[in-house]
Amino acid sequence: MPSPRDHDTLASIGESAALLRIFPRLPDSVAGLLGPGDDAAVVAAPDGRFVVTTDMMIHGPDFRLAWSTPHDLGWKAAASNLSDVAAMGAVPTALVVAIAAPADSPVTLLEGIADGLRDACAALAPGCGVVGGDLSVSPTLTIAVTAFGDLEGRPPVLRSGARVGDIVAVAGVLGEAAAALSLLFTEAVDPLGHPDARLATALRPRTAPQLAPTPPISAGKIAALAGATAMLDLSDGLAIDSARLARASGLGIDFDLASLRAGGADPALALGGGEDHSLLATFPAGTPLPAPFRRIGVCVAGEGLTVDGAPHDSAGWDPYRDWSGSAG
Amino acid sequence: MPSPRDHDTLASIGESAALLRIFPRLPDSVAGLLGPGDDAAVVAAPDGRFVVTTDMMIHGPDFRLAWSTPHDLGWKAAASNLSDVAAMGAVPTALVVAIAAPADSPVTLLEGIADGLRDACAALAPGCGVVGGDLSVSPTLTIAVTAFGDLEGRPPVLRSGARVGDIVAVAGVLGEAAAALSLLFTEAVDPLGHPDARLATALRPRTAPQLAPTPPISAGKIAALAGATAMLDLSDGLAIDSARLARASGLGIDFDLASLRAGGADPALALGGGEDHSLLATFPAGTPLPAPFRRIGVCVAGEGLTVDGAPHDSAGWDPYRDWSGSAG
């Protein structure tokens, strides 16, 4: 039976009361020296530097409320930003979170997002927590996360450090987020093509890689300690992101088709599918690869991507060019 | 004559090309050790800590494109966040900026926002710059800024440190942003009440305190060095924000009516008007107030606000309760 509080909206209880219901759900940050409540937070940066990345999730282009639960939204907003911190070889320490929501949103939406942020931090980056935020009104539900990390005295692992002969390796899944999105677009829509919540629920857990991904955050530090020469987060897909690493490093990459097929994966999805938030890293030839990294290719002289030596087109997804409001 | 590039939209040129046009316009950060281009930026935090605050501006509730130029939007997004950093007694070092815009937005909109960010940093916090960001598609133009600051070894100035007998002082204007907003709502609307760009242009510079505020950012460090016991940024108005400081410090504040009238100001606007982003600070009795601070009251035993000893109602503005999409 719904409690009376389930009917509260942001407009009916106001910003201050909404924040009082959200704050206790947010995860604490071990690095937080001063948390929410003042004009700004204070966060520890023990080695005199901090890593920072920011990313927005927007209702429509980035998620559908018919498919994602509020918990999924908080989880994915945290996971995708934590992954960018990990890709530098850093350990995530803290997040700040700005949420803009329609005034008639139920407060339970914000509570669910807070729970997702908390559970993602606990599962993927223990010790990382939310140190501050902002709550606003918008016709479009928007979640902006800024994430911080500690390099623990190490140099950051850039995209540009790979050398010819380096092993190309990945930690995490390839193509599973895209396969799950495809499943949602084909099987979780009504006859008119609109997202359908009941059908989406029935498809869980097959859609989890898209709706609540579990990127290997701790692998970022592991790669750095193992001598990774370059690294990045796979957000736009292996083909487009590995081409970025290759371009920044001034070389080409040759993938092993058999490795891309490992575990029964579809190589086309493995190369083309975005949003896995796995980590792509390069290591000097001969490096014993640390778990959870597995070899998928090698850095070669030249430019561009090949698969078993055959050229691969690395054209990819662009949010401004390819997004259609009607098609989703 | 408009150049062909004036017709480019985010959708027509794509995210990568848009970023290439924005990056050269963004201000450099002296503290930026690694800027845009990798998965995350790296920023210096010389004393082993950093101050962080985040704030979103949303088309509709927070600004109107008919009234604000793109330059204004970038300027105000920077200024309002820099002010939260200053309110801790810190010196702003860097920003990250996430922008979500409709796919049919002209690229010149983003260029103007970038120019505003650059000019605000140069004018208000020299040395502070943009170290990273994110560009997304949204039906609602949204600008999320996260700002960082350096405490230079000092403790942060909190809201909770004021003591009975402390001087209450302000740096910056009082009520001017609200007066400018009122002017826009009465004189920059067409007969149907819709924002009108031509009328708004004619009202400049009287509307600048609302559209492109110039908060006294350097006063934050000045207050800290002068021994400020508490401080905050006046974003929701003197009455509501000073009540927060009073509550956090466990005391009351008595304002001098004559001080609130200084310079011909309307005391009701000075107390009730939001968005000035001036700094309210308390100093031990007898402290020679450093410029640009001026005395406006005193901390007293008890709770709540008084003006020349008479009770003042501190109820204020709440974004969820008071915003109406039609009325603006």
Side-chain angles (χ1 to χ4, degrees):
Chain A
M1 215 171 72
S3 92
R5 297 180 63 173
D6 292 344
H7 302 296
D8 291 342
T9 66
L10 298 181
S12 72
I13 71 168
E15 181 188 10
S16 303
L19 288 174
L20 284 178
R21 282 174 56 181
I22 298 166
F23 278 159
R25 295 168 175 268
L26 294 173
D28 278 337
S29 160
V30 171
L33 304 176
L34 177 71
D38 235 284
D39 291 67
V42 182
V43 181
D47 81 353
R49 303 166 299 167
F50 61 98
V51 163
V52 54
T53 180
T54 192
D55 197 33
M56 266 189 189
M57 280 174 38
I58 290 140
H59 188 230
D62 296 321
F63 62 87
R64 304 306 177 92
L65 282 170
W67 288 342
S68 294
T69 64
H71 189 278
D72 287 341
L73 299 182
W75 179 289
K76 186 167 179 175
S80 57
N81 277 281
L82 293 171
S83 182
D84 281 322
V85 169
M88 306 302 287
V91 175
T93 52
L95 310 174
V96 294
V97 182
I99 301 177
D104 62 359
S105 300
V107 178
T108 52
L109 169 68
L110 295 184
E111 291 177 326
I113 292 172
D115 290 347
L117 290 164
R118 180 193 64 219
D119 292 344
C121 285
L124 305 175
C128 182
V130 176
V131 294
D134 182 39
L135 197 52
S136 306
V137 178
S138 174
T140 307
L141 178 59
T142 303
I143 307 173
V145 171
T146 304
F148 308 105
D150 178 10
L151 287 163
E152 301 179 331
R154 297 182 297 273
V157 183
L158 309 184
R159 299 178 175 189
S160 52
R163 290 160 304 190
V164 172
D166 282 0
I167 304 163
V168 177
V170 72
V173 300
L174 288 178
E176 291 193 9
L181 187 62
S182 170
L183 191 67
L184 285 164
F185 270 115
T186 52
E187 298 187 27
V189 290
D190 67 19
L192 295 172
H194 299 132
D196 182 292
R198 194 184 46 81
L199 294 171
T201 303
L203 292 173
R204 211 62 184 254
R206 290 162 68 202
T207 53
Q210 168 62 220
L211 301 178
T214 52
I217 303 302
S218 59
K221 174 178 175 176
I222 289 170
L225 290 175
T229 51
M231 184 154 53
L232 50 57
D233 159 61
L234 293 177
S235 52
D236 294 334
L238 178 60
I240 192 168
D241 286 321
S242 67
R244 288 178 175 139
L245 185 151
R247 205 159 40 237
S249 297
L251 43 72
I253 293 176
D254 183 49
F255 291 108
D256 310 323
L257 184 57
S259 310
L260 298 181
R261 282 206 170 111
D266 172 347
L269 264 184
L271 281 158
E275 296 195 89
D276 283 321
H277 297 294
S278 296
L279 290 176
L280 183 76
T282 57
F283 296 90
T287 304
L289 285 186
F293 283 94
R294 57 194 173 84
R295 181 191 168 106
I296 55 170
V298 63
C299 294
V300 296
E303 58 181 355
L305 306 181
T306 51
V307 179
D308 284 357
H312 179 82
D313 173 13
S314 64
W317 181 84
D318 183 300
Y320 285 112
R321 237 198 272 271
D322 300 341
W323 181 66
S324 146
S326 54
Chain B
M1 215 173 69
S3 93
R5 297 179 61 172
D6 293 343
H7 303 296
D8 291 342
T9 66
L10 298 181
S12 72
I13 72 168
E15 181 187 10
S16 304
L19 288 174
L20 284 178
R21 282 177 54 181
I22 298 167
F23 278 158
R25 294 169 177 266
L26 294 173
D28 278 337
S29 160
V30 170
L33 304 175
L34 177 70
D38 235 283
D39 290 67
V42 182
V43 181
D47 80 354
R49 303 167 299 168
F50 61 98
V51 162
V52 54
T53 181
T54 192
D55 197 34
M56 268 189 188
M57 279 174 39
I58 291 141
H59 188 230
D62 296 321
F63 63 86
R64 305 305 178 90
L65 283 169
W67 289 342
S68 294
T69 64
H71 190 278
D72 287 340
L73 300 182
W75 179 289
K76 186 167 178 174
S80 57
N81 277 281
L82 294 171
S83 182
D84 281 322
V85 169
M88 306 302 286
V91 175
T93 52
L95 309 175
V96 295
V97 182
I99 301 177
D104 62 358
S105 300
V107 178
T108 51
L109 169 68
L110 296 184
E111 292 177 327
I113 292 172
D115 290 346
L117 290 165
R118 180 193 63 220
D119 292 344
C121 285
L124 305 176
C128 181
V130 176
V131 294
D134 181 40
L135 197 51
S136 307
V137 178
S138 174
T140 308
L141 177 60
T142 303
I143 306 172
V145 171
T146 303
F148 308 105
D150 178 10
L151 287 163
E152 301 179 332
R154 297 181 297 274
V157 183
L158 309 184
R159 298 177 176 192
S160 53
R163 291 161 302 188
V164 172
D166 281 358
I167 303 163
V168 176
V170 71
V173 300
L174 288 178
E176 290 193 8
L181 187 62
S182 168
L183 191 68
L184 286 163
F185 271 114
T186 52
E187 299 188 25
V189 291
D190 66 19
L192 295 172
H194 299 133
D196 183 292
R198 194 183 47 81
L199 294 171
T201 303
L203 293 172
R204 211 60 184 256
R206 289 163 68 202
T207 54
Q210 167 62 220
L211 301 177
T214 53
I217 303 302
S218 61
K221 174 177 175 176
I222 289 170
L225 291 174
T229 52
M231 185 154 53
L232 50 57
D233 158 62
L234 294 177
S235 53
D236 294 333
L238 178 60
I240 193 168
D241 286 321
S242 66
R244 288 180 175 136
L245 186 152
R247 206 159 40 238
S249 297
L251 43 71
I253 292 177
D254 183 49
F255 291 109
D256 309 323
L257 183 59
S259 310
L260 299 182
R261 282 207 170 111
D266 173 348
L269 264 183
L271 281 159
E275 297 194 89
D276 282 321
H277 297 293
S278 296
L279 290 176
L280 183 76
T282 57
F283 297 89
T287 303
L289 285 185
F293 284 93
R294 58 194 172 86
R295 179 191 170 106
I296 57 169
V298 64
C299 294
V300 296
E303 57 180 357
L305 306 181
T306 51
V307 179
D308 283 357
H312 179 80
D313 173 15
S314 64
W317 181 84
D318 183 301
Y320 285 112
R321 236 198 273 272
D322 300 341
W323 180 67
S324 147
S326 54

